[in-house]
Amino acid sequence: MDRAFRLALTGTPGVGKTTIASLLADVGYHVVKTEEIAERFGCIDDVDLHDGARPIDIDRLNDKIHSEWKNDPIKSTVIDGHLSHLLPVDWVVILRCSPSVLRKRLTGRSYAEEKIEGNIDWEILGSAWPEIDDADSAIEFDTSADGVETVFQGIMDWLADDFKPRRPHRPIDWIERGEV
């Protein structure tokens, strides 16, 4: 790819987005968290005492970044966050994780059971897939089956092959795989 681009690195909390983002930063990509963008544009609330998250007004954020993001970025940028696919990006990488492995990871973060269940439900329902426009190019990687280096190399190969395929042949379906 000859021009700089914006790549959403998305998926359920706990799938490994930040780990992969740090590897992409190590090879020269500019990495920014969705929360940092929301903070910059004043579109993030204070911490919700119920779940410990800082809600982002994604519609307002999209309105505010629209004119700034009309042009390509100066440097290819990875946007790390489970809402990054809802921003005006060029490409989307969805990291997935089997519900049983995800439960262990989220429990290790000391999340409340309600938050763990909500995140597992989102993963079972397809994670970011239902929220991505059919015209957008996206790919997914299973972080529960593949190690960090394998996922990282898969992303690098996808980038090097001009983002092909544009969509996976069969997106991961945890119910079909008997993981639920």
Side-chain angles (χ1 to χ4, degrees):
M1 166 141 292
D2 294 333
R3 67 178 184 84
F5 55 83
R6 289 182 185 90
L7 173 83
L9 182 60
T10 190
T12 307
V15 297
K17 295 178 298 296
T18 300
T19 301
I20 296 295
S22 69
L23 293 173
L24 291 167
D26 288 346
V27 297
Y29 288 95
H30 174 67
V31 175
V32 62
K33 291 188 166 290
T34 308
E35 292 84 359
E36 293 168 2
I37 298 168
E39 184 83 45
R40 179 172 159 226
F41 286 93
C43 297
I44 191 166
D45 291 339
D46 293 331
V47 173
D48 180 330
L49 298 177
H50 180 69
D51 72 359
R54 293 186 68 196
I56 294 173
D57 185 336
I58 204 75
D59 293 329
R60 191 166 141 233
L61 179 58
N62 274 310
D63 288 344
K64 289 193 171 210
I65 65 176
H66 178 74
S67 62
E68 185 176 313
W69 283 26
K70 274 194 279 189
N71 299 316
D72 293 336
I74 294 169
K75 184 175 183 180
S76 289
T77 301
V78 175
I79 300 140
D80 169 13
H82 73 278
L83 300 175
S84 62
H85 61 281
L86 299 173
L87 298 175
V89 296
D90 301 299
W91 314 101
V92 180
V93 171
I94 305 170
L95 300 183
R96 306 289 306 276
C97 185
S98 75
S100 60
V101 172
L102 186 59
R103 176 177 296 286
K104 290 176 190 167
R105 291 179 185 178
L106 296 178
T107 300
R109 291 182 175 191
S110 301
Y111 280 10
E113 188 59 30
E114 183 179 354
K115 187 170 184 171
I116 292 171
E117 290 302 320
N119 283 312
I120 289 172
D121 288 349
W122 195 62
E123 178 64 33
I124 290 168
L125 294 173
S127 182
W129 280 118
E131 300 170 342
I132 295 175
D133 189 293
D134 287 338
D136 292 341
S137 292
I139 194 163
E140 67 180 357
F141 295 92
D142 181 355
T143 66
S144 52
D146 298 324
V148 172
E149 288 298 328
T150 301
V151 171
F152 170 72
Q153 190 57 54
I155 293 169
M156 294 303 293
D157 291 347
W158 187 64
L159 297 172
D161 196 25
D162 197 26
F163 307 93
K164 293 178 190 142
R166 298 292 191 222
R167 288 285 177 133
H169 177 67
R170 289 188 77 192
I172 295 168
D173 183 334
W174 299 119
I175 296 170
E176 184 179 278
R177 290 185 180 189
E179 299 268 346
V180 180

